[in-house]
Amino acid sequence: MREVTAPPDLYARIQQFHATQMHALDGGEFDAYAETFTEDGEFRHTPGRPAARTRAGIAEELKAFHRERFAGDPVQRRHWFNMLRVEPGSGGEIHATFYVLVVATRPGVRQPEIAPSCVVHDVLVEDADGGLLVRSRWVEHDWQPEPATTVGAAAGGPVNGPANGEVSR
Amino acid sequence: MREVTAPPDLYARIQQFHATQMHALDGGEFDAYAETFTEDGEFRHTPGRPAARTRAGIAEELKAFHRERFAGDPVQRRHWFNMLRVEPGSGGEIHATFYVLVVATRPGVRQPEIAPSCVVHDVLVEDADGGLLVRSRWVEHDWQPEPATTVGAAAGGPVNGPANGEVSR
Amino acid sequence: MREVTAPPDLYARIQQFHATQMHALDGGEFDAYAETFTEDGEFRHTPGRPAARTRAGIAEELKAFHRERFAGDPVQRRHWFNMLRVEPGSGGEIHATFYVLVVATRPGVRQPEIAPSCVVHDVLVEDADGGLLVRSRWVEHDWQPEPATTVGAAAGGPVNGPANGEVSR
């Protein structure tokens, strides 16, 4: 196993960035979520749905997705990230790979649904002020594994597959 | 989304503080847990139960709660925190907002119960020696949403509702 | 509760180390996993199975365990760590205690199985290049509590029971 040293400050910064970003998403603030991407950012969150591109496109895709799946459903979703691996890339890019579970609770029902289990591949960059932005985010769903070749072809530009081999099957 | 920069050292310190605190709580060390609060600390952990105040009051409330709920039940509970957002406040206060799941296992039963899903709002301060203490902790349960007005009225002094809007519904 | 100050840099480094290590394990890279232990490392992961020793022994034990449990099963397992407590020990040892859940997903089944809940006790050391290695790892399963005396007797050398009392029952 190749141990990769990530600057400890960067590690905590990404954790804080992810937390703030998910508090926004789970609070239904889709525009705020989209603003955490670069202007030309790319977001693939569900197999079978095309990648969303640009901040406007990402906000629109999220609104459409929530209308289709959760209209009239008083669900409170919470995205849990874990096992974050940070790897500095070339040209100022930062690769972050981590696990995700989605926790969904409905009023009056104590037991949440916890599904699906995913692996996410972020490519992060810093803006002019040193703030973090997502250049691309690709969500792999464990229950819907994508063939490696399809993944490579579909990913196109910024997402070139997993930054490291250990999470591929 | 407003990206808030938390000092990276503080971020890891709070994670360590929370871990130590929850290891104590999950080990049944209620007095040790209460000592992680300020002398005048406030703790609201379950809708419908009044806030506990002072270290003695918090320890007493926890003992009563566990007697009522878990007497004779050999359950091993584990509190999982995640998606921690740290925000320096005024007057030396540190606001920490994070997600929680409670994992409960009983002897001989491999599958734990994982419920409920919560959001916690901590107000932390440093003592004279630089150690962290909880001035107030307020636990929101996703399955029992509290009306915003009730929350504000009940919170009173130190807890003034979420430190940021993104987790409110 | 005794608040223990862990160097914040070390805290993030251990999180990164654990993430990289688990990405390898969950990707089926058992040799890579074994290489994260010292040459004389010790690994006890399941009650009733003897401790594995040395890198070769640990890799062999993992392969045998996966053959017995998961041969022909297209499961994708993901190890989730949480509530990490880091405590510098004597002689350069670092004690790390944390909670674990195993998330297991099968193709076509959206809902993962999340079990069992465990507590892990790591003794870590740094190699000549400053990289982290596991000298010993002991996994306690919440649903199969081991009597304290058995634990002490079985643990032998490097693992001398929990580094702190709060997680014992």
Side-chain angles (χ1 to χ4, degrees):
Chain A
M1 190 187 79
R2 187 170 41 115
E3 185 179 344
V4 175
T5 308
D9 281 13
L10 179 62
Y11 198 89
R13 275 181 64 207
I14 294 175
Q15 289 180 312
Q16 168 91 345
F17 173 76
H18 279 158
T20 306
Q21 190 188 39
M22 287 303 110
H23 292 196
L25 180 64
D26 295 335
E29 302 180 15
F30 302 130
D31 291 317
Y33 177 81
E35 280 161 27
T36 65
F37 284 73
T38 58
E39 260 306 344
D40 63 347
E42 179 177 294
F43 179 39
R44 297 200 303 130
H45 63 87
T46 298
R49 289 181 88 93
R53 291 194 176 83
T54 77
R55 288 181 182 162
I58 290 168
E60 199 175 328
E61 159 63 13
L62 278 174
K63 290 170 192 172
F65 181 75
H66 280 78
R67 261 197 316 271
E68 291 170 30
R69 297 278 176 101
F70 305 113
D73 180 350
V75 66
Q76 174 64 59
R77 298 169 87 220
R78 305 240 177 248
H79 288 77
W80 280 56
F81 291 5
N82 199 9
M83 307 316 278
L84 170 68
R85 178 182 156 127
V86 174
E87 189 166 8
S90 59
E93 288 189 344
I94 303 154
H95 295 257
T97 307
F98 49 96
Y99 296 173
V100 177
L101 282 169
V102 185
V103 177
T105 301
R106 287 171 174 93
V109 183
R110 188 169 173 276
Q111 183 77 45
E113 177 196 63
I114 307 180
S117 166
C118 304
V119 176
V120 179
H121 308 276
D122 271 1
V123 177
L124 305 170
V125 291
E126 289 185 323
D127 66 15
D129 301 327
L132 291 168
L133 292 173
V134 181
R135 174 169 286 168
S136 71
R137 169 166 291 175
W138 166 40
V139 184
E140 286 190 286
H141 291 235
D142 286 338
W143 70 294
Q144 296 173 297
E146 301 176 75
T149 52
T150 306
V151 166
V159 178
N160 295 308
N164 38 64
E166 76 268 22
V167 293
S168 57
R169 276 156 302 245
Chain B
M1 188 187 81
R2 187 171 41 115
E3 185 180 344
V4 174
T5 308
D9 280 13
L10 180 61
Y11 198 89
R13 274 181 65 207
I14 294 175
Q15 290 180 310
Q16 168 91 345
F17 173 75
H18 279 159
T20 307
Q21 190 189 39
M22 286 304 109
H23 291 196
L25 180 65
D26 296 335
E29 301 181 15
F30 303 130
D31 290 316
Y33 176 81
E35 280 161 27
T36 66
F37 284 73
T38 58
E39 260 306 343
D40 63 347
E42 179 176 293
F43 179 39
R44 297 200 303 130
H45 64 88
T46 299
R49 288 181 88 93
R53 289 194 176 83
T54 78
R55 288 180 182 163
I58 289 168
E60 199 175 329
E61 160 64 13
L62 278 174
K63 289 169 193 173
F65 181 75
H66 280 77
R67 261 196 317 270
E68 291 170 31
R69 296 280 176 101
F70 305 113
D73 180 351
V75 66
Q76 174 64 59
R77 299 170 85 221
R78 306 240 177 248
H79 287 78
W80 280 57
F81 291 5
N82 199 9
M83 306 317 277
L84 170 67
R85 177 183 157 127
V86 173
E87 190 165 7
S90 58
E93 287 188 344
I94 303 154
H95 294 257
T97 306
F98 50 95
Y99 295 173
V100 177
L101 282 169
V102 185
V103 177
T105 301
R106 287 171 175 92
V109 184
R110 189 168 173 275
Q111 183 77 46
E113 177 197 64
I114 307 181
S117 166
C118 304
V119 177
V120 179
H121 308 275
D122 270 1
V123 178
L124 305 170
V125 291
E126 289 185 324
D127 65 15
D129 300 326
L132 291 168
L133 292 173
V134 182
R135 176 170 286 168
S136 71
R137 169 166 291 177
W138 167 40
V139 184
E140 285 191 285
H141 291 235
D142 286 337
W143 71 293
Q144 296 174 298
E146 301 177 74
T149 51
T150 307
V151 165
V159 178
N160 295 307
N164 40 63
E166 76 269 23
V167 292
S168 56
R169 276 158 301 246
Chain C
M1 190 186 80
R2 186 170 42 114
E3 185 180 345
V4 174
T5 308
D9 281 13
L10 179 62
Y11 198 89
R13 273 182 65 206
I14 294 175
Q15 289 180 310
Q16 169 90 346
F17 172 76
H18 279 158
T20 307
Q21 190 188 40
M22 287 304 110
H23 292 196
L25 180 64
D26 295 335
E29 302 180 14
F30 302 130
D31 290 318
Y33 177 82
E35 280 160 26
T36 67
F37 284 72
T38 57
E39 259 307 341
D40 63 347
E42 180 177 293
F43 180 39
R44 296 200 303 130
H45 65 86
T46 298
R49 289 181 88 93
R53 290 193 177 83
T54 76
R55 289 181 181 162
I58 289 168
E60 199 176 330
E61 160 62 14
L62 279 174
K63 289 169 193 173
F65 181 74
H66 280 77
R67 261 197 317 269
E68 290 170 31
R69 295 278 177 101
F70 304 114
D73 180 350
V75 66
Q76 174 63 60
R77 299 170 86 220
R78 305 242 177 247
H79 288 78
W80 280 56
F81 291 5
N82 199 9
M83 308 315 279
L84 170 67
R85 177 182 156 126
V86 174
E87 190 165 8
S90 59
E93 287 189 345
I94 303 155
H95 295 257
T97 307
F98 49 96
Y99 295 173
V100 178
L101 281 169
V102 185
V103 177
T105 301
R106 287 172 176 92
V109 184
R110 188 169 173 275
Q111 184 77 46
E113 177 196 65
I114 307 180
S117 165
C118 305
V119 177
V120 179
H121 307 276
D122 270 1
V123 177
L124 305 171
V125 291
E126 290 184 323
D127 66 15
D129 301 325
L132 291 168
L133 292 173
V134 182
R135 174 169 287 167
S136 70
R137 169 166 292 176
W138 166 41
V139 184
E140 285 190 287
H141 292 235
D142 286 338
W143 71 294
Q144 295 174 299
E146 302 176 75
T149 51
T150 307
V151 166
V159 178
N160 295 307
N164 40 64
E166 75 269 23
V167 292
S168 57
R169 277 155 302 244

